[in-house]
Amino acid sequence: MRAFQMLYSRVHNLNLISTKYPQIHKLFKTFHSTNLRFINDSATADVSTIYDPVTGSLVTKRVPKSKHTAAVSDKDPYKLSSSDDADALKDDRSYGNAVKSNHGRSGFGVNKKKSKSKSTWVCSDCGYTDGQWWGYCRECKSAGTMKEFTEIDDGGKTSGFQVSEKIVRSWLPKGSGEAVPMRVTDVNRGINHLNWRFPLSGPFGNEVSRVLGGGLVPGSLVLIGGDPGVGKSTLMLQIAAIIAEGREIGKPAPVLYVSGEESVEQIGNRADRMEINTEELFLYSSTDIEDILGKAQVLSPRALIIDSIQTVHLMGVTGSAGGIYQVKECTAALLRFAKKTDIPVFLIGHVTKSGDIAGPRVLEHIVDAVLYMEGEQYSSHRLLRAFKNRFGSTDELGVFEMSPCGLKAVANPSEIFLSEEHSDSEVLAGLAIAVIMDGSRTFVIEIQALCAAGTSLSRQVNGVQAGRADMIISVLMKQAGLKLQSNAIFLNVVSGATLTETAGDLAVAAAICSSFLEFPIPNNVAFIGEVGLGGELRMVPKMEKRVSTVAKLGYKKCVVPILALKSLQGLDFGELEVLGCKNLKEVINTVFVQDA
C-alpha cells in the first residue's frame, strides 16, 4: 500500500496516463474509490497482515502509528504531507548519496579526510618523470626503464632541503643575513686557488687526489660506486684516516664516518686490522638523516662520510630506504648541508647488475663527482676512475693493490700487465708489448698470440675485439703475404685487460707474426700504432707521452708509424731508439731479422 502511495504521489500528469495507459489510470481510480477509508485509517495506524500457523489463516493487525510517521492529507489522500514521512520519499534519492559520501570511512558519520595518492612513472636511468606509461623514456629513449611509483600526500611531507635548512640555520652565524648575487671578481678576490683544495698526503692520498683533480674541494659532494666487495668501505676508511690526521694543516681534524650497514664495533675491527689509530676519526651507526646531521652539527667535522646512501632515510618522505624518493631527498639534504657549511661529503653507492649506481639516474646529476672503483674477481689490483668531476678532469686514473692492511698505491702500473721476463726464449714466441692510454695514464701491456698449424680452423680472442682481430689477420694475409689460412689463431691480453683503442693494433699484428714465424721478439721492444686496411701504419693520439713512458721503463726500441717521427723530432728519450715504419712489411723486415 505504501509503495502504491509513493508511486501515485510521483505521477504529475494523470491526463497523460489516461490517454496512453488507460488500464493504469483505471487502476488508480479504483484504488481511490474503494480504499479511501482504508487509506485514511492508515494515516493514523499501521496495518499489517501475517500468517498465523495456529489458526491456519491470515490475521490483520492494526497498530497506532508513531509520531514520526507521516499522515495522508484529507484533501489528497495520495499526497504525503510535509511532515517526517515526506522525507521517506527522498530515501531512494538520498541513500545513494549517503553511501557515496561515507564510502571508504571507518564508519558512518565520521568525517575523516582521505589521503590523496598520485602515481607517476619514473625512468630508472635518467630520472625523467611522466604521468603515464609510454613503454619507453621520452627523455633518454631507453625502453623498459619506466617504473611506477605511488606518492601519498598526507599533508605532512618533508623534503631534503627543509631538513638540511633547519639544521644549517641553527649552525650559521645569526648575522649572516640573506644571500645576494655577487660579482665573480668579488667571489674570487678572497680565495687563494693554490690552497683552496686540501690535498691528501702520502702515496695513497696522491693517487686519490689525482682522480679528484688535485685534491678535495671544500663543500663538494662525491659519490663512490663499485661492485660488492671491491673495497669501497676500505677506500673511504683510509681517506677518512688521512683527512683526520691533518698533515697538510699541521694538526688533527675531526672526521665523521657514518655507516648504515655496519655497527661501530665492526667498523672499529676493520680499522684495527688496517692499523688505523687516528684519535680524531669518529664512528657512528645510524640511518636517519636528521639524526646524522644533528650529530655532525655538534662535532663540526672536516669531512662527512655516508656508507651508504641506499641505507639512510628521511622521516616524512614517501617510501622506504633505498627508494627513488628517499635517495633523491636524502641526497638533496646532504647537498644543501655541504654547500652551506663547506664540509665535503662522501657518499658510497650500491650498483646494479649492469654496473650503474642503484637508484634514480638523477642522483649522479646532483653530486659534484662520481668515482667508480673497479677490480677483477681474482685480481688484487683496483682501479679508481672518475666518470664525472666538476672540479677536474675525468681522464685521471688511480691504481691500487689490495693487501691485508688495506689499499696501497701502485708506483708502476705497467707491471700489472707484464709477465716475467725471459730474454730471447724460443718458448715465448708470440709475445709483443703494446702501449695504451687510459685517461691520462699510460700503460704498457703484453699481447700473446698462438698460431697452431694443422688443427681445426678456429679463432679465440680474449681482451681484443673480435672484429678488430679478424681485420688484422686478414690484412696480414693480404698485405703482408702471411699464409695464415690453415692456422688456428688464439689471442690473449695478459691479466684480463681489454684493448679499447686502436693503438694496440701494431702489437697484435707483431705477436701473430712472431708466433707464425716462430721468431721471438726481444723483450725490450714496444709497438705503438694503428693498422689500416692497406697494411699502412697510422698515427694515434698522445704519441709523445706514450714514447716517453716507454723510455722511462727502460725499453731500447719503439716501433711507431713513420709520420710520428716528425712530431717526435728534437725530443730526448735517452737510450730509446724510435723506429719509423710505413707498413706491416717494413715492420717484419725491421723486427724479425737476425742480429749480425
Side-chain angles (χ1 to χ4, degrees):
M1 180 65 67
R2 181 173 177 82
F4 199 82
Q5 292 178 13
M6 296 173 62
L7 177 62
Y8 188 78
S9 63
R10 296 186 180 184
V11 178
H12 303 287
N13 196 341
L14 293 177
N15 295 329
L16 180 61
I17 292 178
S18 62
T19 304
K20 292 187 175 183
Y21 309 100
Q23 294 181 351
I24 296 178
H25 183 261
K26 183 178 179 181
L27 179 62
F28 275 123
K29 292 181 63 177
T30 304
F31 174 78
H32 176 73
S33 59
T34 60
N35 297 289
L36 181 60
R37 181 182 58 81
F38 177 77
I39 295 175
N40 287 333
D41 292 341
S42 65
T44 59
D46 288 332
V47 179
S48 61
T49 302
I50 61 175
Y51 175 77
D52 188 357
V54 178
T55 60
S57 59
L58 296 176
V59 179
T60 302
K61 293 184 179 181
R62 182 172 297 176
V63 181
K65 185 173 292 187
S66 62
K67 61 179 180 179
H68 297 291
T69 306
V72 180
S73 175
D74 294 337
K75 298 180 181 179
D76 190 353
Y78 304 107
K79 182 178 180 180
L80 297 181
S81 65
S82 59
S83 61
D84 295 26
D85 225 358
D87 296 335
L89 295 176
K90 302 178 183 178
D91 287 347
D92 60 329
R93 308 169 190 171
S94 60
Y95 177 74
N97 296 331
V99 173
K100 183 184 297 184
S101 62
N102 287 279
H103 178 67
R105 301 181 184 176
S106 58
F108 290 104
V110 180
N111 189 16
K112 183 179 179 181
K113 186 178 180 180
K114 183 180 179 181
S115 299
K116 297 180 180 179
S117 61
K118 179 182 178 182
S119 295
T120 56
W121 294 86
V122 182
C123 177
S124 58
D125 284 352
C126 66
Y128 172 74
T129 304
D130 206 323
Q132 57 182 339
W133 182 77
W134 293 93
Y136 71 99
C137 177
R138 298 200 292 175
E139 182 69 20
C140 64
K141 309 302 180 184
S142 299
T145 59
M146 300 299 291
K147 309 297 182 183
E148 184 180 11
F149 293 91
T150 303
E151 182 178 3
I152 301 177
D153 185 9
D154 55 358
K157 186 179 178 182
T158 306
S159 66
F161 282 102
Q162 292 174 348
V163 173
S164 59
E165 186 71 16
K166 180 180 66 175
I167 298 294
V168 169
R169 282 185 178 179
S170 62
W171 199 350
L172 295 177
K174 295 183 179 180
S176 59
E178 184 180 356
V180 295
M182 298 178 62
R183 295 186 179 90
V184 64
T185 55
D186 296 337
V187 174
N188 296 327
R189 187 172 300 165
I191 298 178
N192 184 1
H193 292 279
L194 298 178
N195 300 325
W196 182 45
R197 303 170 183 257
F198 55 89
L200 305 177
S201 59
F204 172 84
N206 292 335
E207 286 290 310
V208 178
S209 297
R210 178 189 290 111
V211 178
L212 290 175
L216 190 58
V217 176
S220 59
L221 185 62
V222 182
L223 175 64
I224 298 179
D227 294 332
V230 75
K232 301 184 296 295
S233 299
T234 301
L235 173 71
M236 292 313 307
L237 194 59
Q238 289 185 245
I239 293 176
I242 293 177
I243 299 175
E245 290 175 358
R247 294 180 181 178
E248 69 280 355
I249 60 176
K251 61 178 181 179
V255 175
L256 180 57
Y257 186 101
V258 182
S259 176
E261 302 174 343
E262 299 177 281
S263 65
V264 174
E265 291 76 13
Q266 292 173 332
I267 306 173
N269 184 27
R270 186 169 71 249
D272 181 68
R273 187 178 68 253
M274 298 167 58
E275 300 178 357
I276 296 177
N277 300 317
T278 307
E279 294 185 357
E280 292 299 320
L281 178 57
F282 293 85
L283 306 179
Y284 187 58
S285 181
S286 177
T287 58
D288 188 353
I289 284 292
E290 294 190 55
D291 178 45
I292 294 172
L293 295 182
K295 296 297 187 296
Q297 177 185 1
V298 177
L299 187 61
S300 184
R302 198 177 188 202
L304 173 63
I305 299 173
I306 306 295
D307 183 10
S308 65
I309 188 61
Q310 278 82 15
T311 60
V312 295
H313 69 279
L314 195 62
M315 297 298 294
V317 176
T318 303
S320 59
I324 182 171
Y325 290 112
Q326 284 286 355
V327 171
K328 182 179 178 181
E329 293 299 336
C330 290
T331 306
L334 294 170
L335 174 68
R336 182 74 169 175
F337 173 81
K339 301 306 178 185
K340 285 292 185 178
T341 60
D342 277 344
I343 296 177
V345 178
F346 289 91
L347 306 177
I348 296 179
H350 298 166
V351 296
T352 60
K353 293 181 180 179
S354 60
D356 298 327
I357 297 291
R361 196 72 176 186
V362 71
L363 174 63
E364 300 184 25
H365 295 281
I366 295 176
V367 300
D368 297 316
V370 179
L371 309 182
Y372 276 82
M373 197 170 186
E374 305 171 354
E376 296 294 332
Q377 182 178 1
Y378 302 104
S379 174
S380 60
H381 292 91
R382 302 290 186 267
L383 303 179
L384 182 66
R385 64 177 77 246
F387 281 79
K388 173 188 177 181
N389 193 354
R390 289 174 178 167
F391 312 112
S393 174
T394 57
D395 294 334
E396 298 297 339
L397 181 71
V399 183
F400 305 92
E401 183 179 5
M402 182 66 74
S403 67
C405 297
L407 294 169
K408 294 183 178 180
V410 177
N412 181 18
S414 297
E415 66 185 12
I416 305 174
F417 308 105
L418 296 177
S419 61
E420 297 181 359
E421 297 183 359
H422 298 277
S423 60
D424 300 335
S425 174
E426 294 182 359
V427 298
L428 293 181
L431 303 185
I433 302 300
V435 184
I436 63 172
M437 299 286 296
D438 194 328
S440 63
R441 303 291 294 270
T442 306
F443 293 91
V444 176
I445 64 175
E446 190 174 279
I447 309 296
Q448 298 177 335
L450 175 63
C451 296
T455 60
S456 59
L457 299 179
S458 63
R459 293 175 185 174
Q460 299 292 332
V461 294
N462 294 319
V464 182
Q465 297 178 3
R468 198 77 189 171
D470 291 340
M471 186 205 74
I472 296 174
I473 294 172
S474 301
V475 171
L476 286 173
M477 291 188 294
K478 177 70 176 179
Q479 306 297 342
L482 300 184
K483 305 299 182 181
L484 301 174
Q485 294 86 345
S486 60
N487 286 263
I489 301 176
F490 301 87
L491 292 174
N492 179 54
V493 181
V494 174
S495 298
T498 302
L499 285 179
T500 57
E501 61 172 349
T502 58
D505 289 355
L506 184 55
V508 173
I512 296 175
C513 292
S514 174
S515 178
F516 179 75
L517 300 175
E518 296 183 357
F519 192 105
I521 300 175
N523 53 29
N524 57 3
V525 179
F527 299 88
I528 306 174
E530 177 184 350
V531 176
L533 291 178
E536 76 279 7
L537 303 187
R538 307 178 66 89
M539 283 281 292
V540 294
K542 301 180 181 179
M543 181 65 72
E544 179 183 346
K545 191 170 185 178
R546 298 174 195 262
V547 177
S548 178
T549 300
V550 170
K552 291 179 182 179
L553 294 176
Y555 286 82
K556 301 301 182 182
K557 296 180 180 180
C558 183
V559 181
V560 299
I562 195 171
L563 296 177
L565 295 179
K566 297 180 181 180
S567 61
L568 299 176
Q569 287 181 353
L571 300 179
D572 184 15
F573 297 112
E575 299 180 357
L576 178 68
E577 181 184 359
V578 181
L579 304 176
C581 298
K582 292 182 180 180
N583 49 46
L584 289 177
K585 287 185 177 181
E586 287 192 11
V587 173
I588 295 175
N589 295 331
T590 302
V591 176
F592 300 100
V593 293
Q594 294 289 344
D595 295 335

